[in-house]
Amino acid sequence: LKVDRGDGHGMVWLAEPGNVTYTDNGTLPASGTAAVWKYIAIYMLNDVFVGDWCDPVSVTVHGV
């Protein structure tokens, strides 16, 4: 997985989750604000990328 948290760093490596219930524990925005985080993923088989990166998925996160 890669993530772009809109912080000027662009898409950065996030994790190689071993299951579909992975949780991103990145720091949330300041309380009362929101941000859009974008994720892309690619399938790996035996530590080799297979196929193409998926289209970005956008998630709005809110500070608490």
Side-chain angles (χ1 to χ4, degrees):
L1 288 175
K2 287 187 176 185
V3 63
D4 180 351
R5 293 194 176 102
D7 56 6
H9 293 103
M11 281 287 172
V12 295
W13 189 256
L14 178 60
E16 289 182 29
N19 60 57
V20 297
T21 60
Y22 177 80
T23 300
D24 179 354
N25 291 315
T27 303
L28 293 172
S31 180
T33 63
V36 176
W37 292 357
K38 298 176 184 173
Y39 296 87
I40 58 174
I42 192 169
Y43 186 76
M44 291 184 76
L45 179 64
N46 299 324
D47 295 326
V48 176
F49 293 132
V50 177
D52 297 318
W53 288 94
C54 71
D55 291 335
V57 175
S58 297
V59 177
T60 302
V61 294
H62 299 271
V64 290

